[in-house]
Amino acid sequence: MHIEDIAGQVITAFKNKTPLCIRGGGSKDFLGRTPMGQTLLTTEYHGIVDYDPAELVLTARCGTPVEEVESLLREHGQMLPFEPPLFEHGMSNDRGSHSRDADSESEKTPSGSSTVGGMVAAGLSGPRRPWSGSVRDYILGTVCVNGCGEVLKFGGQVMKNVAGYDVSRLMTGSLGTLGVVVEASFKVLPAPIKVATRMLEMDEDSAHQFLKRMLATPTPIDATCYYDGQLYIRLSGSESGVGAGEAAVGGEQFDAGDELWRSLRNQNHEFFTQNDTADDDIDLWRLSLPPATPVLPVEPPTLVEWGGAVRWLRVRFQEFDHDEIESLCKKHGGHAIRFRSIDREAEMNPPADSVSRRLFENLKASFDPAGILNPGRLYRDL
Amino acid sequence: MATFVSDINVESTLTRAEIATGLKQIVDARYVLTAQEELAPYECDGLSAYQELPLAVVLPGTVDEVCTIMRFCSDHSIPVVARGAGTGLSGGALPYKNGILLGMSRFNRIVSIDADNRTAIVQPGVRNLAISEAVQHLGMYYAPDPSSQIACSIGGNVAENAGGVHCLKYGLTVHNLIKLKVVTVQGELFEVGSDALDTPGYDLLALMTGSEGLLGIVVEVTVRLLPKPTSARAVLASFDDVQTAGNAVASIISNGILPAGLEMMDNPAIRATEDFVHAGYPLDAAAILICELDGIDEEVEDQIEQVRHVLTDAGAVDIRVSCDEAERVRFWSGRKNAFPAVGRISPDYYCIDGTIPRRQLAGILENISRLSGEYGLAVANVFHAGDGNLHPLILYDANKPGEFERTEALGGAILEACVEAGGTITGEHGVGVEKINQMCVQFNDKELEQFHRIKHAFDPHLLLNPGKAIPTLARCAEFNAMHVHGGTLPHPDIERF
């Protein structure tokens, strides 16, 4: 498969005004509003184009499995620091994952590997994000196909580049509504020599107080989780740096750390998969907040990540008042996202203010004048 | 002195006097400048070769005033160029002759510091270094440190996505912002980003950062603060040839070390700075590397030893490790004073800002040295070696007829060589007016059209900083017609536009 094949499909769709549903491995079919349109499959355009460990830069095509990228990086002692979620295993909740268009390949194709294209489009990052930065912080350049089928190259393979508007970062997290990302370059980093996890038993309020204190120091913390009465803290760095960090954090050594952080990253931790009696009734909300926001008056179960900046909430769809949670988050300077929901027609995001909304619409029109790329996935009518 | 001719011609139907009268109804009359001698200080930014006087300078003091000014300008098609401290090096704040200059210097307050969330809200006119100074007592700092940090303002840092010497580890401005308050060209106030780590919808925060004043006016900035490392130490290594030094940079990185700063200087730069600040640099070295490591004490100790070994294996002829803070500062003093030092040995100098993949370093240096001979102008090189960002300094004399034009042409040729090597024409200084032609080398027409459509999405009548940063297709057609590929122009001494 060539870029021209992808561009050709977009050109045809542009001429016929056919909506396209851009899809890689399908691991994030659940995300956003209902996917609709003819499937544009990106998995055939795959492969790592360039990687030189001494440059700390890797370039890959959209269909490349993220696992392939990570395994190559691992061989050279490097990593994608933002730990993109793979969502591949143990997802008990894949309701509403199908495109509603007649010609939908996604109905035939089971969820597969997370791909580089999907990682960029979704813009999601894992446990290390507050300390390392997110997908958008590491993206250096993209080749993308806009809604007219034009192949455009923005940014590049160098760490510092301020020529032109930062379209690559704009693409990140746009859920494919501005363009098909066909190739992307990332800054990568050396993996830490030593990693350790500590576990501390305390209530949620104490955990917030504790983190507030610890995170104001340069202790090499790079992940935190509070769940079920336990605060877990990951330390990474050099041998003696981590040793000093462990002493500063205290608590007890937690041996299953790797497994814990992987399960949080991929959301197959028991919090996300636990079987309720009325499982179909459960929605997963993601609350994004200033990290020092105090304990929120919400019903458990909750799970707190990112030093307090992300709080997950499992709720019964029928009984849940989302207006209330949205206004609570807003009051604290954050927002609530309907991350996995039974209701795929409802907005995933809270409404944007009027100026932002107008700019979103103008930007969408500037990249995709016919409105054919993943229409309605990020916001209804966008 | 050179004049920039913008491709975009916007002119208000109002006269200068009418514009001044209108502005004086919005802000106190003393903050509207129209007399020649009052305008003169605003005629250029750090790229002083380009000068222009605006119709008027207005210095608002409140966000409401900015909104009202923008509504007034929108209603009467008056172009607006925003300016912070005016230290930019690409002409981003060069006035537009038919427009007004919006000076943000009165927005100089640190609004609040949130120690628990490790953020600070500052007005755009606050100096970069003032942020770190204001949070020092909390053991925190603001990471991006462009060399002008003592003078440059955060609003300008946002507009240019400013970098510094610690980018490899701590990122650029875009990595250290969480929220902006922005006034649109129509005078509406809105927020991009949020107090959380992410914000729903398109990443307007990333798009605004580095947009060079073309998309909106930043009136408030929320920055991310970092805990100050307890330890920072520098290693100074000398090399007999530049290629070996370049390879040493690659070895440090491939050995899993992420230095806080990793800088290189070549022999002409070493000589100029040593003569000026007496940092103790070896005058006979072909190149030196300064490698700084920071973090908690234990971590830094580990890494210093590792770096010492790597540099020895990589062929360094001399390695010195700073034993105290004074020595660390001394190692840096030469690098930090490289520009003024070069200013002492040459009547004028011109700083270039290309970025290349690091592996191309030896090739690009050869290219620069060849071009330097061809154009008959000396070049001293300082690099942010860690992230491949080159700052060749071209030495010239503006009083010699034709020499500035030749300097610009040499600069252009170096940037084109950077693009050819897989890099970019600007790593951190921005395009502005300076590199507007080289944008035609880096981007094709379709890509430039997409940029113009983005501009239209924010500013449909092209009133904000018109003609800068993104060239028109007509300019590129003209530029490409006279341009011979291979990095050189047929007649490097002719004036280009």
Side-chain angles (χ1 to χ4, degrees), chain A residues 259-300:
Chain A
E259 205 182 309
L260 169 72
W261 303 112
R262 197 164 41 242
S263 71
L264 289 168
R265 171 183 170 179
N266 295 333
Q267 294 198 344
N268 49 15
H269 181 275
E270 68 169 31
F271 169 79
F272 298 101
T273 57
Q274 58 194 286
N275 281 323
D276 281 75
T277 42
D279 187 42
D280 277 342
D281 189 28
I282 300 295
D283 268 11
L284 178 67
W285 283 74
R286 177 183 186 277
L287 316 184
S288 181
L289 296 155
T293 305
V295 181
L296 294 179
V298 292
E299 285 280 309

Side-chain angles (χ1 to χ4, degrees), chain B residues 197-220:
Chain B
L197 293 182
D198 41 38
T199 308
Y202 297 140
D203 195 339
L204 300 183
L205 182 60
L207 190 60
M208 286 297 305
T209 310
S211 63
E212 303 198 22
L214 271 74
L215 302 183
I217 310 292
V218 173
V219 294
E220 193 178 279

